[in-house]
Amino acid sequence: MAAEEASRSSPRSRREPKGRVPRQDKYSVLLPTYNERENLPLIVWLLVKSFSESGFNYEIIIIDDGSPDGTRDVAEQLEKIYGSDRILLRPREKKLGLGTAYIHGMKHATGNYIIIMDADLSHHPKFIPEFIRKQKEGNFDIVSGTRYKGNGGVYGWDLKRKIISRVANFITQILLRPGASDLTGSFRLYRKEVLQKLIGKCISKGYVFQMEMIVRARQLNYTIGEVPISFVDRVYGESKLGGNEIVSFLKGLLTLFATT
């Protein structure tokens, strides 16, 4: 609520000067991939369908980190099918981290808004038009998908993983008071310049990275809107969440608590 109220006092500075025709907004979707050969064609098809039906201008930037399963080959075929003006493959030789993947993708992004999401079908593109409407209604700097508000939810997880997620989010809310209901989610819309500045401020890696982005956004007084989403566990491939990631999350959380 505080974020929404703050946004109403600040939009004037971001409006186009009188007499100037505002440019059409363009949305650059960043898709970092690693071993997503089966999922990539489906998520790209759903993205193209969603943007085509809603009429928003877009591009999809695939950042593949040297996937050994042939994800890059699939991406090259998708680039040919949909055209290089819509699908841009910008691969890297190996896994270098999520934050650097976003930085790499933004170097090639021509949109003034950036959408980040998972390529494993956990995030359905049907929510993107809602993100865009929410951003325009409140002139938000960030719109975040939330599993823990309204009719948002999680599907396909076992009880253990649901408990881990809930507990992690609860502890985070208590320690950091971020002003957002879902800190560990990775389905978001950013103003491009806002994402660039936040990434420059963040020091975390792995699953803590998304959490730090919201915490830093609060520190810099960026406004945050939220859209309830349905998160669905991946159909193909294996989850990258394991014991090491949980330990890293707890260490990162304590570091943020001590430094923010």
Side-chain angles (χ1 to χ4, degrees):
M1 182 66 71
E4 294 192 21
E5 290 176 355
S7 72
R8 296 190 185 103
S9 62
S10 60
R12 188 178 302 274
S13 62
R14 299 189 187 99
R15 289 175 181 163
E16 293 284 341
K18 288 184 178 180
R20 180 182 299 176
V21 178
R23 66 170 178 170
Q24 182 187 16
D25 291 325
K26 184 175 183 179
Y27 299 88
S28 299
V29 181
L30 303 187
L31 280 183
T33 59
Y34 187 77
N35 287 348
E36 300 291 357
R37 179 184 178 91
E38 293 92 351
N39 294 315
L40 189 58
L42 294 173
I43 192 65
V44 167
W45 182 82
L46 287 168
L47 280 165
V48 171
K49 181 175 184 290
S50 178
F51 278 109
S52 299
E53 291 177 351
S54 58
F56 296 113
N57 193 15
Y58 73 97
E59 64 185 0
I60 302 167
I61 302 174
I62 302 169
I63 308 107
D64 184 64
D65 276 1
S67 298
D69 73 338
T71 299
R72 179 172 175 172
D73 295 334
V74 172
E76 289 173 351
Q77 291 300 314
L78 292 170
E79 195 172 34
K80 293 177 182 177
I81 291 169
Y82 293 104
S84 58
D85 59 327
R86 293 300 189 191
I87 310 294
L88 292 82
L89 173 60
R90 297 296 180 264
R92 304 190 296 177
E93 293 303 314
K94 60 181 180 179
K95 291 184 75 173
L96 298 171
L98 194 59
T100 59
Y102 293 149
I103 292 172
H104 182 71
M106 280 194 293
K107 289 178 181 177
H108 305 282
T110 59
N112 54 323
Y113 288 93
I114 303 290
I115 294 170
I116 63 169
M117 62 188 301
D118 294 343
D120 61 5
L121 300 174
S122 297
H123 302 141
H124 200 296
K126 68 181 181 181
F127 294 107
I128 289 177
E130 294 183 42
F131 280 39
I132 295 172
R133 283 193 291 270
K134 185 72 174 181
Q135 190 282 323
K136 292 183 180 300
E137 287 172 4
N139 199 35
F140 293 108
D141 297 306
I142 303 165
V143 175
S144 180
T146 176
R147 298 163 287 180
Y148 306 124
K149 188 176 180 181
N151 60 352
V154 176
Y155 302 91
W157 279 1
D158 58 24
L159 182 61
K160 178 183 176 182
R161 189 164 180 186
K162 286 182 178 180
I163 291 173
I164 290 173
S165 179
R166 282 285 186 178
V167 170
N169 201 62
F170 176 76
I171 294 173
T172 302
Q173 294 290 337
I174 295 297
L175 293 180
L176 303 179
R177 301 187 182 279
S181 62
D182 190 346
L183 268 73
T184 56
S186 54
F187 193 5
R188 297 174 185 163
L189 180 154
Y190 291 87
R191 295 182 190 274
K192 185 177 183 180
E193 67 274 14
V194 169
L195 182 57
Q196 288 171 325
K197 187 164 186 179
L198 287 175
I199 287 179
K201 295 283 185 181
C202 289
I203 58 174
S204 302
K205 295 181 180 180
Y207 290 90
V208 183
F209 176 78
Q210 301 291 3
M211 182 171 64
E212 185 179 0
M213 294 275 278
I214 293 295
V215 174
R216 300 296 179 192
R218 180 203 62 189
Q219 286 184 323
L220 295 170
N221 295 317
Y222 288 132
T223 54
I224 305 170
E226 294 190 311
V227 170
I229 63 166
S230 299
F231 177 95
V232 181
D233 197 20
R234 62 166 55 242
V235 177
Y236 299 107
E238 296 181 358
S239 171
K240 300 174 180 70
L241 177 64
N244 291 336
E245 285 74 18
I246 293 173
V247 172
S248 296
F249 169 81
L250 293 173
K251 289 180 178 178
L253 175 60
L254 293 175
T255 299
L256 284 178
F257 177 67
T259 60
T260 58

